[in-house]
Amino acid sequence: EVLVHADIGIVRGKRQQRDVRDLLAPLGITTTPDFSLGRNGDLGSLGPGPDYPRLRVENRFHVAPEIRYNRGNHTLSMGGLLSRLQTNDLQSDNSRGLYDYNRNFGRSTVDNFLLGTPSDFKINLGNFYRGFRNWESALYFQDQIRVRPNLTLSVGLRYELMTAPVEVNGLTEIPYQTDANNFAPQFGFACAVSAALPACALQSPSGKGPHSR
């Protein structure tokens, strides 16, 4: 008996943090910086944070075929997984600017804030939008052997490969390479405690690999 199964799917996720300019648009303010009071903001801060605005869209396309073959006391299974991951990310990092108020100019932090005299101003300029692409794949083989009516052994091997992400416009260099050495052997057994109680069983799977638990 041969059984063939395939899972094909598309998963889309979106995370968006509202642009702070929309919140203050009725006041005629189009650029809203952050304010830090004290060294490293230990006295407090004003503003939504340097990560705003934020927009991330993730698309995952995957196909996972499997073939299962029953012959005698053996149940052989083999299959794989192939996924294409697309991550489009806009993460602002101080793109709106940060005013830093500290004890300076012979005045306290609060006095400098009230007088509008920051110690420094930080802002990052450029294109903050990135589009990353990578592949995830896996192959596996498993054999379930029914040694006795109350004893089943399971052996298998799984291999996974994950390519390093690539930025579609070459704007970001990834500091690591493709992960291609993930082999995960597996061994397990299932043994009924009593032939009179087949529902009461002991199961002891073991394996070592990237997804072992």
Side-chain angles (χ1 to χ4, degrees), residues 80-107:
L81 169 69
L82 182 64
S83 295
R84 176 66 168 176
L85 182 62
Q86 301 175 343
T87 302
N88 302 314
D89 192 9
L90 171 63
Q91 179 173 347
S92 303
D93 185 8
N94 273 340
S95 64
R96 295 178 294 101
L98 172 66
Y99 287 97
D100 193 6
Y101 293 88
N102 290 303
R103 181 184 295 274
N104 207 345
F105 316 114
R107 296 186 294 266

Side-chain angles (χ1 to χ4, degrees), residues 15 26 40 55 60 62 71-72 77 85 90 98 120 131 148 205:
R15 177 187 178 190
N40 298 321
L55 174 62
R60 180 182 291 272
H62 73 270
R71 181 175 181 180
S77 300
L85 182 62
L90 171 63
L98 172 66
D120 57 63
R148 300 177 59 182

